[in-house]
Amino acid sequence: MIVKRLATALLVMFFASFLSFSLLYLAPGNVAEAVLKEQLGFEPTEDEVVAFMARYNLDQPFLVQYYIWLKLFVTGKLVCPQTGDSVIGEFLYRFPVTLTLAFSAVLFATTLGIPLGIVSAIRKDSIIDNVCRIIASLGVSIPSFWLALLLILFFCVKLKLLPAFGLGGLKNMILPTIALGLHIFASITRVMRGSMLEVLNEQYILVSRAKGLPERAVIIRHALRNAVIPVVTLIGLQFGHLLGGAVIIESIFSLPGIGKFLMDSIFARDYIAVSGFVVFIAFLFVVVNLIVDIVYMILDPRVRVE
C-alpha cells in the first residue's frame, strides 16, 4: 500500500506543479518587473529586466522553462528569485511556523470538539445538546478571516491582553490558533455527535448495556473506538488543508509561515517559488492521508483484512 501511495504522490506532485506553473505563467504581468520592483523599490530599467530574465531562464519558451524548473527542483538547486535562496531552504525555514499553527489548531479543535460531540450525543435533545449544536453551527458559519479581525479588535485593541501580530511566543499563537481552528472544531463536534448517535443504536451497545456494564464503560470501551473513525478522516483531511490553507490567517497575524510566503509570491507572480511550494504541499497532503490510512488499520481491523 505504501509503494502504491508513493507512486500516487509522485503523479499528484507532477500534475500540481505543472498546473500551478502553467496558471501563473499565463497570468498577465511580468515576473521580472514585479520582483525587481519589490527588491529595488522603484521601476527597473529594461536592461535590468532582461538580465534578470536571462539569469532565471525566464526568457525561454514555456516547456523549456518548466523542464529547467523540474530539473532544478528534483536536484534541490531551484532558487527563489525574490530572495535568492533555494526554494527548499525557504520552505524548510517557514514550514515549522505553519506546522505549529496547524497542529495547535487541530489540538484545539479535537480537545474541545470530541468531548462536546460525545456529550451532545449522550444528552440528545437536551439543553446541553442544543447549546453544542448552536456553537457548532456558528463555528461552521463564521469565516476565519472575519473571526481573526474580531479577535484582534477585542483581545488586542480593547482589552490589550494579547499581541496582534508577529511571532514571539505562546501568546502570539493563541488568537491565530482559535481563528484557524474554530471551523474544524465545529466540524469535529458535528461529525462526532452524528457518529456517536449512530453507534449508540448498534446491537453490540445494547448487549453491553444488557450485561450491566456501567454507561461510562460502554461509551469509552465500546462506542468511542468505532464512533471516532469518521472524525479521524475529517482530522486528516482538515490537517492537510490547514498546512496549505493558512494563507489568510498567517497574512492577518503577520506570521512568517509558508502561507504568507505563498501570498507574497503570488502577488509578485513568482511562479518558480509558488510551484515549488505547491509540490511540497501536495506531498504533505499525501503523507497526511497515508498516516490516516495507517490509523484506520489500527482502529478498525477489518481494513487490514480488506
Side-chain angles (χ1 to χ4, degrees):
M1 182 186 72
I2 294 177
V3 175
K4 185 178 178 182
R5 285 304 180 93
L6 289 177
T8 306
L10 291 176
L11 283 176
V12 170
M13 289 190 291
F14 173 76
F15 284 113
S17 67
F18 186 79
L19 187 62
S20 61
F21 195 93
S22 305
L23 291 176
L24 288 171
Y25 176 84
L26 296 174
N30 188 306
V31 60
E33 291 181 0
V35 173
L36 283 174
K37 187 177 180 180
E38 181 72 20
Q39 292 177 348
L40 301 175
F42 51 84
E43 290 290 342
T45 64
E46 186 175 346
D47 291 340
E48 289 173 332
V49 172
V50 171
F52 186 92
M53 293 182 70
R55 179 183 176 188
Y56 291 101
N57 300 304
L58 300 176
D59 53 352
Q60 300 293 325
F62 169 72
L63 290 179
V64 175
Q65 282 193 44
Y66 181 71
Y67 171 75
I68 295 173
W69 175 91
L70 192 61
K71 183 180 177 182
L72 293 174
F73 178 82
V74 172
T75 56
K77 298 178 181 177
L78 188 65
V79 175
C80 175
Q82 282 189 93
T83 60
D85 297 326
S86 67
V87 172
I88 188 170
E90 293 286 352
F91 183 85
L92 293 177
Y93 175 73
R94 289 170 170 77
F95 181 61
V97 177
T98 302
L99 181 63
T100 303
L101 179 60
F103 185 78
S104 303
V106 170
L107 185 65
F108 160 76
T110 52
T111 303
L112 295 179
I114 291 178
L116 278 182
I118 295 173
V119 171
S120 183
I122 295 173
R123 307 294 183 191
K124 183 184 176 185
D125 296 330
S126 65
I127 296 177
I128 296 176
D129 181 31
N130 291 329
V131 171
C132 291
R133 291 165 65 183
I134 292 173
I135 293 174
S137 298
L138 288 174
V140 172
S141 306
I142 297 175
S144 58
F145 71 90
W146 188 67
L147 177 64
L149 296 177
L150 285 182
L151 292 174
I152 290 175
L153 179 64
F154 187 71
F155 289 101
C156 305
V157 178
K158 296 291 184 184
L159 300 181
K160 302 184 185 305
L161 291 176
L162 295 170
F165 308 109
L167 183 66
L170 184 61
K171 282 187 174 181
N172 296 68
M173 298 300 291
I174 293 177
L175 297 185
T177 297
I178 296 174
L180 189 64
L182 184 68
H183 188 275
I184 183 175
F185 151 75
S187 300
I188 288 175
T189 303
R190 292 160 64 100
V191 172
M192 190 71 223
R193 178 183 181 276
S195 180
M196 181 60 78
L197 283 174
E198 185 177 343
V199 170
L200 289 177
N201 290 322
E202 295 287 342
Q203 288 294 325
Y204 69 93
I205 296 296
L206 298 177
V207 172
S208 300
R209 285 171 173 162
K211 288 181 178 178
L213 287 176
E215 186 66 17
R216 178 176 296 181
V218 172
I219 297 297
I220 295 176
R221 291 181 189 174
H222 301 288
L224 181 60
R225 183 165 182 167
N226 289 327
V228 82
I229 291 177
V231 178
V232 171
T233 306
L234 177 66
I235 292 173
L237 294 175
Q238 291 290 332
F239 191 72
H241 281 291
L242 293 179
L243 287 174
V247 176
I248 296 175
I249 298 301
E250 288 180 1
S251 299
I252 291 176
F253 290 98
S254 294
L255 296 176
I258 59 176
K260 188 175 186 306
F261 185 80
L262 267 177
M263 181 71 81
D264 295 338
S265 299
I266 290 171
F267 280 125
R269 291 196 69 248
D270 185 358
Y271 50 83
I272 296 175
V274 172
S275 302
F277 272 53
V278 167
V279 173
F280 286 125
I281 292 171
F283 178 73
L284 291 175
F285 264 96
V286 176
V287 171
V288 169
N289 280 290
L290 181 62
I291 293 173
V292 170
D293 287 342
I294 294 173
V295 174
Y296 262 166
M297 289 191 294
I298 295 173
L299 291 175
D300 191 351
R302 291 174 298 179
V303 176
R304 283 197 295 269
V305 174
E306 292 171 357

